[in-house]
Amino acid sequence: MGTKTVDEAGAETGAEATEAKRDEETVDVTEKDAKDEVTPVSEETDGVDTDGEDSDLGEIVEESRSAGVGLGAGAVVSVALGLVSLTGGWIGTVAAARQTLVGQLETVSSASVADQIQAVYGDAWQATALWAGLFALAALVTGVVVLARPAFGAPGRVQAPWIKSVAWAGVTLGVIGLLLAVLKYTDALLGLPSAS
């Protein structure tokens, strides 16, 4: 142990006093460093600055959400249009009924049986096929747009897998529907019976 002396004021001098002083200085420096290293917590919440302006991060998140919603909706619409092209819709039914009525009105009683069949049933069948083809084409185009959209968007943005799957389903249904519509329209599939 070091020597210990006491001066007139009663203060300790010597090695122990110096050591105690060093310990106090070390504690003071450590507390000061700790205060300097602590940074105040920002008051930003959800990507909004305290002055009310949106941060860049908040804008990117909101933009990616809205783009995902739009693409998802487009993919679902593509599938719905593809299903309508395969199963028929009220527009095709109304068009076929209208064409049947027009055929009945325009066909004279002296027309041949083949002409009457074509005017009453054949034209209606082709009208149905035409509307089915339009729905199939719309499904195909919508699905392709949904699949191609990320290529023209922000780089690095990844499309959700379910959106791709549903869009591919819409494209597939559109291709099948378009093929069937062409086959029905040209009488290659379930053509009109022979009148002879």
Side-chain angles (χ1 to χ4, degrees), residues 77-171:
V77 167
S78 174
V79 169
L81 290 171
L83 288 174
V84 169
S85 74
L86 293 176
T87 61
W90 66 270
I91 294 178
T93 304
V94 169
R98 181 183 182 280
Q99 197 60 43
T100 299
L101 182 61
V102 168
Q104 289 173 348
L105 293 173
E106 290 181 352
T107 305
V108 293
S109 59
S110 61
S112 68
V113 174
D115 290 341
Q116 289 178 4
I117 290 175
Q118 178 61 37
V120 175
Y121 300 106
D123 292 344
W125 184 249
Q126 288 178 338
T128 304
L130 180 66
W131 279 101
L134 290 175
F135 277 107
L137 185 62
L140 181 62
V141 169
T142 305
V144 167
V145 167
V146 169
L147 290 172
R149 172 65 176 92
F152 301 105
R157 183 181 299 162
V158 179
Q159 190 177 47
W162 74 268
I163 294 175
K164 286 183 181 180
S165 299
V166 174
W168 275 113
V171 168

